[in-house]
Amino acid sequence: MTDTKRGWLIPAGLLALSFVPVLAGAIRVSELTGGADITPDNARFFAQPVPVLLHIVAVTVYSVLGAFQFAPGFRRRRPAWHRAAGRVLVPCGLVAALTGLWMTLFAELPPGDAGLLTGFRLVFGSAMAVSLALGLAAILRRDVARHRAWMTRGYALGMGAGTQAVTQSLWLAATGATPGEVTRALLLGASWVINLAVAEWVIRRRSPRSGRP
């Protein structure tokens, strides 16, 4: 396999990981804007549609566009594109994180989402916003290494929903049962931790001290 093809494996994997949440978001947008019937399952979204729509649009742009920032050859050949995309990604990421926090704090939560899961969402949503802010501050100081590190962490946290679809599917396949409230919260929380662990591995792998580019 050529280096060019290998360079596209990571973006392709990230796009695949984002497929389920992006598709679910598109269905929700269609529901909110297409005059769907209000049911007990979707009434909370119709009660406060603006933050929901902002969150879905921001997450979709952030996850899809952000995947291409991890194609090293493409990024090197088109530095202007990388910078232009970054100017879109930072606001979208912040909107995604802040609307997620807003909905966690002020929107009606479905049964089972309170307690431990709420705590996880507040911690990791805040961490995503802070990571993006630190990444932006770093590039304004021309500190490229720290910029890449913090933006990688922010993207990993933003991709939590994709990994959550995987962890819950694996649980269902292994046990044949829907997870209970605490188990579900732990599975969702573990997804953010997994993403952060992968991000830290990537950051250290490309550190100058590692001997790798």
Side-chain angles (χ1 to χ4, degrees):
M1 183 181 293
T2 65
D3 290 340
T4 300
K5 290 182 178 178
R6 278 198 298 267
W8 286 103
L9 288 177
I10 294 176
L14 293 172
L15 290 173
L17 187 64
S18 66
F19 176 76
V20 171
V22 167
L23 178 61
I27 293 172
R28 184 69 67 196
V29 169
S30 176
E31 186 179 59
L32 290 172
T33 60
D37 294 333
I38 299 177
T39 67
D41 291 333
N42 65 20
R44 61 194 179 92
F45 300 110
F46 281 94
Q48 296 176 325
V50 173
V52 175
L53 291 171
L54 286 174
H55 183 76
I56 292 171
V57 172
V59 166
T60 299
V61 174
Y62 186 71
S63 58
V64 173
L65 185 61
F68 294 94
Q69 301 288 63
F70 292 89
F74 181 72
R75 192 176 63 238
R76 285 193 298 269
R77 290 192 301 271
R78 293 175 172 82
W81 184 92
H82 173 74
R83 290 191 293 269
R87 293 187 179 99
V88 175
L89 287 168
V90 171
C92 283
L94 289 172
V95 169
L98 295 176
T99 52
L101 290 170
W102 192 95
M103 289 188 289
T104 300
L105 290 170
F106 302 113
E108 179 185 355
L109 297 176
D113 274 23
L116 183 60
L117 182 53
T118 293
F120 283 152
R121 284 175 171 162
L122 292 176
V123 168
F124 291 112
S126 299
M128 178 181 172
V130 170
S131 295
L132 292 171
L134 291 173
L136 177 60
I139 200 60
L140 292 176
R141 298 193 306 269
R142 301 294 190 268
D143 190 340
V144 175
R146 283 192 172 85
H147 167 72
R148 288 179 177 173
W150 284 114
M151 294 303 289
T152 299
R153 294 179 183 113
Y155 186 79
L157 290 167
M159 292 292 286
T163 307
Q164 287 163 3
V166 175
T167 56
Q168 292 186 96
S169 297
L170 291 175
W171 173 271
L172 184 60
T175 66
T178 302
E181 180 177 337
V182 174
T183 301
R184 176 171 171 268
L186 291 174
L187 287 171
L188 299 185
S191 301
W192 281 302
V193 174
I194 290 168
N195 284 12
L196 275 180
V198 173
E200 291 302 324
W201 176 79
V202 170
I203 291 165
R204 280 155 177 72
R205 185 174 180 271
R206 68 190 179 195
S207 168
R209 289 175 295 180
S210 71
R212 294 178 179 269

